[in-house]
DNA sequence: CGTTACCTGAAA
DNA sequence: TTTCAGGTAACG
């Protein structure tokens, strides 16, 4: 479910509740979501540690804990991390419960169970190969243009490659390409300088606006306080197949690129 | 490079 | 019944 704006929103909504507080104990209801170690090791190494800070890298959340330990989460499609004050109703599909002081809890819920919880040593290899953060000041149009020129494959597939750029997913890749007026089927290396700069600016502005609106909710996504995001009303092409382009009126098309649905306006995106 | 597997549920 | 879903990794 979550791409960079949703994960960043979860980070921001969890931090005020969790930073400085202690994970008193861990209850694992479904061992599958704890990756790369036994349940006993996972709960043993986390129990009793306080949360120092919560960070984000691409679509990963990183909880830095006392003693140099870290809890790392990837929500994949349907994962949720929700802060649950004492006596709150249970969250459907809860897989792991972290008990805090005072009977408050942090819940990991995940309908499809594709997401996972990790410690530093068990983090998946992709974590260490993430590309630049698109909202970081150091990520310049110059660097982006150079990197694109050296890539084979279609621009849509390249934008989804987390080694190329960390945090874009299917929704925002389509929205950024629309904002830049670039067809998703174009070869990445065929973009000229002006198009690269337009796409760089589009990625920045779309992601910043989406973070400001607290992400996009279709069905599953909620933030760390259980609230939905409101970027769905700002979407121009994603899941609007057959509807009129808001800019020119042409019907939005959908086709499969690199195994994912891509939505675009055949008139505005060349 | 594209395809498949991993999971479950909703919608067509 | 089939297809589709916000993601990634492991195939061939």
């Amino acid at each position: 479910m979550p791409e960079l704006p949703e994960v960043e929103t979860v980070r921001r909504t969890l931090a005020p509740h969790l930073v400085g507080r202690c994970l008193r104990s861990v209850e694992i209801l479904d061992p599958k979501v704890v990756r790369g170690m036994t349940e006993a090791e996972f709960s043993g190494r986390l129990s009793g540690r306080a949360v120092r800070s919560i960070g984000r890298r691409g679509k990963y959340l990183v909880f830095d804990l006392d003693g140099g330990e870290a809890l790392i989460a990837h929500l994949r499609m349907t994962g949720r991390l929700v802060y649950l004050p004492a006596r709150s109703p249970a969250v459907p599909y809860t897989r792991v419960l972290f008990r805090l002081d005072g009977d408050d809890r942090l819940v990991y819920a995940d309908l499809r169970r594709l997401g996972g919880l990790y410690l530093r040593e068990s983090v998946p290899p992709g974590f260490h190969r993430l590309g630049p953060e698109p909202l970081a000041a150091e990520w310049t149009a110059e660097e982006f243009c150079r990197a694109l020129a050296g890539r084979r494959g279609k621009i849509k597939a390249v934008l989804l490659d987390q080694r190329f750029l960390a945090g874009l997913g299917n929704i925002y890749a389509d929205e950024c390409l629309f904002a830049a007026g670039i067809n998703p089927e174009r070869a990445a290396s065929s973009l000229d300088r002006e198009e690269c700069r337009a796409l760089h600016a589009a990625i920045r502005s779309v992601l910043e606006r989406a973070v400001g609106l607290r992400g996009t909710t279709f069905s599953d996504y909620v933030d760390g306080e259980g609230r939905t995001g409101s970027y769905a009303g700002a979407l121009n092409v994603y899941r609007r197949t057959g509807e009129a382009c808001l800019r020119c009126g042409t019907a939005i098309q959908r086709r499969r690129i690199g195994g994912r649905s891509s939505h675009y306006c055949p008139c505005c995106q060349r």
Side-chain angles (χ1 to χ4, degrees), chain A residues 145 180 182 191-200:
Chain A
C145 295
I182 294 168
L191 302 209
D192 66 27
R193 186 152 194 83
E194 191 185 343
E195 289 171 321
C196 288
R197 299 189 73 87
L199 185 52
H200 177 270

Side-chain angles (χ1 to χ4, degrees), chain A residues 153-166:
Chain A
K154 296 173 177 175
I155 183 62
K156 170 67 187 284
V158 170
L159 292 181
L160 289 179
D161 184 346
Q162 302 299 296
R163 293 169 301 186
F164 178 76
L165 189 64

Side-chain angles (χ1 to χ4, degrees), chain A residues 197-257:
Chain A
R197 299 189 73 87
L199 185 52
H200 177 270
I203 290 169
R204 272 259 165 77
S205 64
V206 166
L207 290 179
E208 276 168 8
R209 176 139 184 258
V211 170
L213 290 175
R214 307 158 46 85
T216 303
T217 299
F218 280 115
S219 50
D220 298 287
Y221 166 72
V222 292
D223 68 19
E225 296 172 325
R227 291 187 294 171
T228 57
S230 36
Y231 194 82
L235 296 174
N236 283 294
V237 288
Y238 186 77
R239 289 216 191 173
R240 295 194 63 242
T241 310
E243 294 175 39
C245 172
L246 298 169
R247 203 174 140 257
C248 77
T250 304
I252 300 301
Q253 306 274 306
R254 181 176 75 146
R255 59 197 310 174
R256 225 152 244 295
I257 301 174

